[in-house]
Amino acid sequence: AEPSRRVSGKNGLAAAAARGARTIMALALFQRLVNFGMNQLLLRFADSEILGMASIRCELLLSTALFLSREGLRLALSRQDVTSDRRQRQSAINLAWLALPLGLLLSTAVGMGFLWLNEEDSVDRKLTGLLFCAGAAVESLAEPFFIIAQAHLITEVRARAEGIGAIVRGFTAFAGLALWDLGVVSFGLAQILHGCCLVVVYLHFFHRHPELAGATSLLDFAPRRLPPEGDSNDGWQWFDRSTMLLAGSFTAQSLFKHALTEGDKIVLSLTSSLPQQGVYAMAQNYGALVARLLLQPVEEAARLVFGKLNTAIEGDASTASATIGEMQRLFLLLLKLALLLGLVFVCFGVASRLSCRAEDVGAHSTR
């Protein structure tokens, strides 16, 4: 498919945001289905101890390094209008490149912490944890281009990169377990190859289509000093002050969000054995399927749309009232969707609980 054109104007911005939201939801659905299918296949070759190590401990390492290093930057730049002028565009590029040193620093810190906390583990487990940290560092190399693509609403490249990466990661893990007998190390190698796929696809895309992000070549995406803004000279020559403060605020908030999102894995890693963690990972693969297929893609798509519509309000005051009304209608629609889905699962949950209770009572009465 041909890549989309550059976005301009409020209507074009809203249309591109909606198109990007649909792409994100389709990508999330594809990734979840691929991961679910590969997990079912891997269950034939991996025991609960291997699954506990790969799906709980190592995934926790990966999410900690990546989420804390990039979430604040992603959220801050999703609210910035990079098409307004040259200074804003260069400011976004400079800030996007901050994700690289942050990712490398956090990957190193998480890896060192993992070795310190698990110094009595086997060599294979230590190697797998370090490979996941290395995979996070490799994935950080693609993060500046991801942020630039997201700021310009170029969602096709994300779908392509993460789709290819999911397939390569799944088949590498399968080959390592079924053909090469590498054990848990297979998952670490798969994560590194996943990161390499992201880097290659993003570089190839922006090498061929730099004009979609307002550039003429890959060199235009390098960090540079910002041109002066009017007569002011406040010393922030590389980064925009307000965007930096916003990114710092979002990063601080992401610490709390990460603790809530990964709290179960943190508790399991500290209090339970690897076989127990593996059983939990298998159950979670089924229990969280609906949430990952429906709610998480909706959340990501809504964040993209609301961020860009907010940018449209700030850029065009004449249409602010209509845009705010559109955002309110979209918010109410998503709220109703979440409420209806929640009520459906409440009904199933109560019915299942009553059924289990009746079986327990029947079993006790027959004794």
Side-chain angles (χ1 to χ4, degrees):
E2 288 295 324
S4 59
R5 298 176 182 177
R6 291 189 63 191
V7 178
S8 60
K10 187 260 180 185
N11 292 332
L13 185 65
R19 184 171 60 249
R22 290 194 298 268
T23 304
I24 289 175
M25 295 182 69
L27 169 65
L29 178 62
F30 173 76
Q31 282 185 297
R32 299 307 181 271
L33 291 176
V34 169
N35 290 339
F36 181 78
M38 294 306 300
N39 285 338
Q40 301 313 300
L41 191 60
L42 293 175
L43 288 177
R44 298 170 58 89
F45 303 97
D47 56 27
S48 59
E49 186 171 328
I50 291 177
L51 290 176
M53 183 66 192
S55 301
I56 301 297
R57 289 192 184 180
C58 292
E59 285 291 338
L60 179 60
L61 297 177
L62 182 71
S63 62
T64 300
L66 291 178
F67 187 84
L68 297 182
S69 65
R70 67 191 186 184
E71 184 69 8
L73 297 175
R74 286 185 174 186
L75 290 175
L77 289 176
S78 68
R79 301 188 177 193
Q80 188 171 359
D81 184 8
V82 297
T83 62
S84 58
D85 56 42
R86 177 167 160 261
R87 190 177 192 278
Q88 288 287 341
R89 176 182 167 277
Q90 189 60 52
S91 171
I93 291 174
N94 291 352
L95 199 59
W97 279 101
L98 268 184
L100 178 56
L102 285 176
L104 296 177
L105 180 63
L106 278 171
S107 299
T108 303
V110 168
M112 293 176 63
F114 170 77
L115 291 178
W116 178 65
L117 292 173
N118 300 274
E119 55 185 3
E120 296 182 359
D121 265 352
S122 65
V123 176
D124 284 352
R125 294 177 189 171
K126 291 181 181 179
L127 177 59
T128 303
L130 292 179
L131 286 176
F132 266 82
C133 293
V138 172
E139 195 167 333
S140 297
L141 297 175
E143 187 61 23
F145 296 101
F146 171 92
I147 294 177
I148 292 170
Q150 178 179 260
H152 289 84
L153 295 175
I154 310 171
T155 53
E156 300 95 325
V157 62
R158 177 184 177 183
R160 192 178 306 171
E162 296 188 10
I164 294 173
I167 294 173
V168 169
R169 179 173 54 190
F171 278 104
T172 302
F174 172 75
L177 284 171
L179 303 179
W180 305 328
D181 196 23
L182 295 178
V184 71
V185 178
S186 307
F187 292 92
L189 294 176
Q191 189 59 46
I192 288 183
L193 289 180
H194 173 263
C196 292
C197 286
L198 296 183
V199 174
V200 171
V201 172
Y202 275 108
L203 287 176
H204 178 262
F205 181 88
F206 281 110
H207 175 70
R208 293 189 58 189
H209 306 287
E211 70 281 356
L212 296 180
T216 58
S217 68
L218 276 176
L219 295 178
D220 291 339
F221 297 115
R224 294 184 178 86
R225 289 182 181 273
L226 297 180
E229 187 177 19
D231 298 329
S232 63
N233 185 12
D234 55 7
W236 292 73
Q237 298 176 336
W238 288 92
F239 306 105
D240 179 73
R241 182 195 298 272
S242 60
T243 310
M244 272 290 282
L245 294 176
L246 184 63
S249 175
F250 281 135
T251 301
Q253 295 175 24
S254 67
L255 290 170
F256 181 67
K257 181 180 178 181
H258 182 65
L260 291 177
T261 305
E262 304 292 350
D264 55 342
K265 294 181 181 178
I266 295 173
V267 173
L268 284 169
S269 298
L270 297 175
T271 61
S272 61
S273 63
L274 281 177
Q276 291 173 331
Q277 294 174 33
V279 172
Y280 177 84
M282 287 187 284
Q284 186 189 42
N285 190 40
Y286 296 101
L289 184 62
V290 175
R292 287 179 292 174
L293 285 176
L294 296 178
L295 299 182
Q296 187 175 356
V298 169
E299 178 188 355
E300 291 190 25
R303 187 168 63 182
L304 175 66
V305 171
F306 284 129
K308 290 307 177 182
L309 288 178
N310 182 70
T311 301
I313 293 174
E314 297 175 352
D316 189 359
S318 62
T319 61
S321 178
T323 305
I324 291 175
E326 185 178 347
M327 293 172 67
Q328 290 174 342
R329 287 191 296 271
L330 179 59
F331 175 76
L332 290 175
L333 178 63
L334 293 175
L335 187 61
K336 290 177 181 178
L337 174 64
L339 181 61
L340 291 174
L341 283 175
L343 290 175
V344 168
F345 293 113
V346 166
C347 295
F348 280 111
V350 173
S352 300
R353 177 59 182 163
L354 292 176
S355 176
C356 292
R357 179 63 177 168
E359 291 179 2
D360 291 340
V361 172
H364 285 293
S365 64
T366 58
R367 291 179 182 177

